Amino acid sequence: MSQAEMDNGHSMTCPIAIVKTGETFPEINRRFGDFERWIRDGLGTKDVDVIVVDPRNEAAMPDPAVLAGIVVSGSHAMLSDDTGWMRSLAVWLRQAVSRRIPLLGICFGHQILAQAMAGSVEDRVCGAELGTVEVSLTSAAIDDPLFGNLTPTFPAQVVHWQSVVELPERAIVLAHSPLEPYQAIRVGDCAWGVQFHPEMSEAVMHSYIDVLAESVAVNEAVGRTVRQALKDTPVARRILLNFLDYAERDRAANGQDRPFRRLRRT
């Protein structure tokens, strides 16, 4: 759906936008689809309008004000690349945050949200974090709309070479893991970032390990250890549904007159 279509009233709803910042490996895409499919499936969006926008084509980015919520995907790109589209996306994210549009950044999305809001991102000194890790909530998560109904600790899938090392001024830490102090943060009232992948299944993570092992990015011994520790991550996946519920409640609380969900067909 283009910006013009939304402006001309062709959409009867305010959509959730998945911001696609990259692609998975081709062999993984052939088996499981790409980032936006995993996010869409995680949102359970059978009766919700979802659009996919690509910030690498800056002209495709809609006004954040026409959106019910925003989910920024992961990417194989690195923020240290400092490309033009990354700088433009950071400006767009600041606009979304200032307008209080519910926003969830995943992995790269988490990092660029933090950097856009004056935090810092750097390469991990100890190299990539890969596989299933145990995430622990902080006390600040107890009353958080996305994390408040989760278990105090839960497994989550991770694959990243860079991390947030300095938080934005208004950021609150919601979760951490043994090697990652900022696994989840909230910036302001309704912008979240998660370094882990709530949308990623155990099978997808297994395929990532296979692909990275073939490219010598992961040695055989490490790959074997990581595979043995893999597990399903249903609690982490719940964050996507919680985000969708929050976005719907936020629109109702702010008296938005356009519907969020499409009417179910009978």
Side-chain angles (χ1 to χ4, degrees):
M1 181 188 304
S2 70
Q3 177 70 53
E5 287 174 324
M6 286 187 284
D7 291 343
N8 290 333
H10 291 174
S11 173
M12 294 301 293
T13 70
C14 282
I16 294 285
I18 297 174
V19 180
K20 179 181 171 65
T21 63
E23 293 83 23
T24 188
F25 295 109
E27 50 267 61
I28 295 177
N29 192 346
R30 285 192 292 270
R31 291 187 61 193
F32 302 104
D34 212 340
F35 298 145
E36 67 272 24
R37 175 178 169 183
W38 310 342
I39 294 171
R40 187 189 296 261
D41 289 347
L43 290 169
T45 53
K46 293 182 179 179
D47 61 338
V48 175
D49 273 343
V50 176
I51 62 172
V52 179
V53 295
D54 192 330
R56 294 168 295 182
N57 173 13
E58 296 172 27
M61 299 304 289
D63 182 344
V66 306
L67 302 173
I70 298 164
V71 181
V72 186
S73 80
S75 177
H76 294 174
M78 301 291 171
L79 272 175
S80 52
D81 295 339
D82 192 29
T83 62
W85 71 263
M86 292 179 189
R87 293 191 292 271
S88 296
L89 177 57
V91 172
W92 189 84
L93 292 175
R94 285 195 291 272
Q95 293 173 351
V97 171
S98 69
R99 295 178 183 183
R100 294 194 72 262
I101 308 301
L103 190 156
L104 174 63
I106 297 173
C107 196
F108 176 90
H110 160 76
Q111 295 167 12
I112 196 168
L113 169 64
Q115 185 164 290
M117 302 304 292
S120 298
V121 175
E122 294 181 1
D123 291 344
R124 287 173 49 82
V125 175
C126 52
E129 186 176 39
L130 176 67
T132 308
V133 301
E134 196 74 8
V135 172
S136 299
L137 299 183
T138 68
S139 59
I142 293 173
D143 298 321
D144 184 83
L146 268 59
F147 290 81
N149 67 349
L150 305 186
T151 56
T153 62
F154 57 88
Q157 312 296 357
V158 294
V159 52
H160 63 114
W161 280 259
Q162 295 187 320
S163 295
V164 175
V165 295
E166 184 177 346
L167 293 176
E169 183 177 347
R170 295 188 298 152
I172 296 171
V173 180
L174 300 172
H176 58 86
S177 63
L179 298 178
E180 188 63 46
Y182 308 135
Q183 279 287 359
I185 64 172
R186 187 178 73 242
V187 182
D189 295 328
C190 56
W192 289 267
V194 292
Q195 183 57 71
F196 57 89
H197 286 272
E199 82 288 8
M200 191 176 284
S201 69
E202 179 182 355
V204 169
M205 178 53 69
H206 200 292
S207 292
Y208 257 89
I209 296 167
D210 290 343
V211 171
L212 292 172
E214 288 177 4
S215 68
V216 199
V218 176
N219 67 49
E220 184 177 349
V222 170
R224 188 184 313 113
T225 300
V226 171
R227 284 190 188 91
Q228 290 172 349
L230 286 181
K231 59 180 70 173
D232 194 21
T233 55
V235 176
R237 274 199 300 276
R238 197 181 306 163
I239 291 168
L240 288 166
L241 292 175
N242 288 348
F243 176 77
L244 190 66
D245 288 342
Y246 175 83
E248 184 172 27
R249 292 195 307 271
D250 182 71
R251 289 194 59 76
N254 286 286
Q256 300 289 343
D257 56 355
R258 282 185 292 176
F260 176 74
R261 294 178 182 267
R262 291 199 296 266
L263 294 176
R264 292 182 181 273
R265 296 179 182 272
T266 58

